[in-house]
Amino acid sequence: MIKNALLSLKKNIGKTILLFVIIVVITNLVIAGLSIQSATKKSMDQIRSSLGNDVTLSVDFRNMMKNRKPSEAVSNETSLTTTMADSLKDLKYVKNYNYQISTSANSNSISAVETASDNSNNQPEQASNQVDFTISANTTMKYLDSFTNNNYKLTKGRLLTTKDQNTNNCVIETNLASDNDLSVGDTFTITTTVNDETITQELTIVGIYEIQSTNEIGSAHFNNPVNTIYTDLSIGQTLTGSSENITSAIYYLDDPENAEAFVELAKKKSDIDFDTFSLDANNRLYQQNASSLESMQSFAKMFVWIVVIAGSAILCLILALTIRNRYYEIGVLLSLGQSKVKIIAQQLIEVGLIAVVAFVISLGTGQLTSHYMGNMLESSSSSNVMQMGQKGDQPNDNQNQSDSNQQKNNTQTKENFLGNMMQGPSNQELDVSITGENVIQLAGVTAAICIVSIAVPAAYVLRLTPRQILSRKEG
């Protein structure tokens, strides 16, 4: 059969070239669609990973504002507790966790670092009553975004860990340390007022960090990250006068892909009122940046299906026309006792030989298509990063001032990381080369198109008897 197939291809060279061109076009379009799907999936995975594997539990002030009655005040007594947070820390997917308290304090022993805005004559009168320091109390500093993403760099000493529980250890910024002639091992005091009672807390410096990103430095005392003092969670509880309340709980998952699954599991397994509290898995940022890629992925799937259906229809039409010219050959073969299976098999071999050559060539030309798609996706991802930079700060408008400052730092850190990944100096292109999976998929699609394009016209002809076939011979 193979010999007969080769002779037939050589004899009908015009038909062979036509089929070859059509199959090459079809396979290239298919590999283009598959490469789009593969590249968009990789891009979406990159965006999901770049947003981190953390999920934050906090009071949902936005939802509380939305659900309040007209002119009704929003309750400031709603607080997240360690008991609520503990109910999620042992759930599936959780690898580590960190509880945070964001509060403020003044000091009689050290001075805050001043900025140009502090000396502006246009500052409102209440600015003079503004506290000097932000206190960021944590279970551990090991997983804080600012440090893990190298926005903040430890220059002396160490960061706080769970071993610092119930101690007065702290970590401060290098400018604050320099302005007050402080170093590791020194102590100072901070003060705050809770329920009309002045609380004084002594702190011991165990680490000094430096802010690497200049765009984070600015604003007034309280909002300036150089005036942020990191302490153990117990210090935050002392300064807020509550041993239970916390500002937020951050859960670090084993895989960023499990963020949505963790949120669903938390809502199912815990008794937390998620009309009052929210689990933020960065879904807003993810959806904002992945929506265009999801649309492209959907388009690619539809594109592949259209190519397969249209390609099969075109090949069916061409083969149906060529088979009509071979009525006499098929009728003679059937009359001589040749089985219908062998006749169909020869047709498949003829088309299969053409398809194999077209398949191999499309792997080379498809590689060029894949690089083109990669450049297009890289441009799309860069645009998304710019959009996130413009909109990233908006959700913080309805939150309290200290929580807003912390969330802003986290968002800026993730934006900077995305910017470095997509727009860094190396200008690294996304890896959209044809994968082994793409090759297998292309082989399967090509084989399916060949089988369908042969089976449909062959089934129509071979349902007839040899006599009927010979009587329909033209010419």
Side-chain angles (χ1 to χ4, degrees):
M1 286 189 295
I2 296 178
K3 184 178 179 180
N4 290 337
L6 291 172
L7 291 173
S8 178
L9 291 175
K10 186 177 180 181
K11 179 181 177 182
N12 301 285
I13 189 66
K15 183 203 74 173
T16 301
I17 294 175
L18 178 61
L19 289 176
F20 172 75
V21 171
I22 292 175
I23 295 177
V24 166
V25 172
I26 291 172
T27 51
N28 271 273
L29 291 176
V30 170
I31 199 65
L34 294 175
S35 67
I36 293 173
Q37 291 187 60
S38 177
T40 50
K41 186 178 184 304
K42 289 178 184 177
S43 297
M44 290 167 68
D45 290 342
Q46 286 179 340
I47 292 175
R48 176 72 266 179
S49 297
S50 66
L51 293 177
N53 63 335
D54 55 297
V55 179
T56 303
L57 175 66
S58 60
V59 178
D60 192 345
F61 290 104
R62 176 171 297 182
N63 198 39
M64 291 173 64
M65 287 288 292
K66 184 173 63 176
N67 293 332
R68 73 186 180 94
K69 296 179 180 179
S71 302
E72 181 182 11
V74 177
S75 174
N76 57 4
E77 297 180 358
T78 302
S79 299
L80 178 66
T81 65
T82 53
T83 301
M84 296 178 189
D86 286 343
S87 67
L88 303 183
K89 70 179 184 180
D90 295 321
L91 290 181
K92 184 181 179 182
Y93 310 122
V94 178
K95 189 176 181 180
N96 295 290
Y97 66 92
N98 177 37
Y99 296 166
Q100 289 186 330
I101 295 177
S102 294
T103 186
S104 58
N106 290 305
S107 177
N108 294 323
S109 60
I110 62 172
S111 300
V113 177
E114 292 189 359
T115 60
S117 60
D118 295 329
N119 300 320
S120 173
N121 294 326
N122 296 325
Q123 290 295 309
E125 294 181 4
Q126 60 266 28
S128 60
N129 298 323
Q130 193 178 56
V131 290
D132 288 337
F133 301 101
T134 298
I135 306 300
S136 179
N138 298 269
T139 306
T140 176
M141 293 178 66
K142 183 177 180 180
Y143 309 107
L144 294 181
D145 286 340
S146 296
F147 292 93
T148 57
N149 292 337
N150 296 320
N151 256 20
Y152 295 179
K153 181 181 179 181
L154 184 70
T155 57
K156 295 179 182 178
R158 62 178 178 83
L159 299 180
L160 301 177
T161 67
T162 53
K163 294 181 180 179
D164 293 288
Q165 184 177 0
N166 296 321
T167 68
N168 65 339
N169 295 335
C170 73
V171 176
I172 64 174
E173 207 273 334
T174 183
N175 290 286
L176 181 61
S178 177
D179 282 12
N180 292 278
D181 196 23
L182 297 173
S183 60
V184 173
D186 290 345
T187 62
F188 61 92
T189 60
I190 56 175
T191 61
T192 190
T193 302
V194 178
N195 298 326
D196 298 325
E197 179 183 353
T198 300
I199 297 176
T200 301
Q201 176 67 52
E202 183 179 71
L203 298 177
T204 300
I205 302 171
V206 297
I208 297 175
Y209 69 93
E210 181 179 8
I211 297 177
Q212 304 292 301
S213 177
T214 56
N215 63 0
E216 292 198 17
I217 300 176
S219 190
H221 290 334
F222 181 74
N223 292 324
N224 195 339
V226 301
N227 292 318
T228 297
I229 301 173
Y230 291 90
T231 70
D232 173 59
L233 192 71
S234 60
I235 300 297
Q237 292 172 333
T238 299
L239 296 177
T240 56
S242 173
S243 60
E244 274 288 310
N245 295 344
I246 58 177
T247 302
S248 62
I250 304 174
Y251 304 94
Y252 300 93
L253 309 184
D254 52 3
D255 192 320
E257 294 295 322
N258 293 328
E260 293 185 8
F262 170 72
V263 172
E264 292 300 320
L265 182 64
K267 292 180 178 180
K268 181 179 179 181
K269 295 290 186 179
S270 72
D271 296 327
I272 298 174
D273 179 12
F274 286 103
D275 287 331
T276 305
F277 302 92
S278 66
L279 269 174
D280 179 15
N282 298 313
N283 285 337
R284 182 188 63 82
L285 293 176
Y286 177 73
Q287 293 299 328
Q288 175 181 314
N289 290 275
S291 59
S292 61
L293 294 177
E294 288 177 340
S295 298
M296 189 179 293
Q297 190 175 49
S298 298
F299 166 77
K301 290 180 180 179
M302 184 181 298
F303 179 75
V304 170
W305 276 108
I306 292 174
V307 170
V308 170
I309 295 172
S312 299
I314 293 171
L315 286 179
C316 282
L317 178 61
I318 294 174
L319 290 173
L321 293 175
T322 56
I323 285 178
R324 288 187 62 186
N325 294 327
R326 300 176 66 175
Y327 277 178
Y328 181 76
E329 177 188 345
I330 295 173
V332 170
L333 290 174
L334 289 174
S335 299
L336 294 174
Q338 185 85 285
S339 69
K340 294 182 179 180
V341 174
K342 287 186 176 182
I343 294 175
I344 295 176
Q346 180 177 329
Q347 299 290 323
L348 281 173
I349 291 173
E350 291 179 15
V351 176
L353 291 173
I354 298 173
V356 167
V357 178
F359 173 81
V360 173
I361 291 176
S362 68
L363 293 180
T365 54
Q367 189 69 44
L368 298 176
T369 304
S370 118
H371 282 301
Y372 171 78
M373 294 299 176
N375 293 333
M376 183 178 66
L377 286 172
E378 190 176 29
S379 299
S380 174
S381 298
S382 298
S383 298
N384 287 332
V385 172
M386 292 177 63
Q387 291 175 4
M388 183 171 65
Q390 295 169 354
K391 300 178 182 179
D393 295 338
Q394 294 177 0
N396 294 333
D397 293 340
N398 293 326
Q399 298 191 16
N400 62 64
Q401 190 173 23
S402 59
D403 189 41
S404 173
N405 186 51
Q406 183 68 29
Q407 292 294 331
K408 180 179 179 181
N409 289 341
N410 290 343
T411 302
Q412 288 177 338
T413 298
K414 290 169 183 173
E415 290 170 10
N416 290 336
F417 180 81
L418 267 176
N420 291 334
M421 180 184 73
M422 297 295 188
Q423 299 175 314
S426 61
N427 196 27
Q428 183 179 1
E429 293 184 359
L430 295 176
D431 181 14
V432 291
S433 57
I434 298 174
T435 64
E437 183 180 1
N438 292 150
V439 174
I440 294 173
Q441 290 174 331
L442 178 61
V445 170
T446 305
I449 290 175
C450 292
I451 292 173
V452 170
S453 62
I454 284 293
V456 173
Y460 171 74
V461 174
L462 296 181
R463 68 184 179 85
L464 305 175
T465 64
R467 182 187 180 97
Q468 291 173 319
I469 294 174
L470 289 174
S471 66
R472 295 191 179 195
K473 173 182 173 296
E474 296 183 356

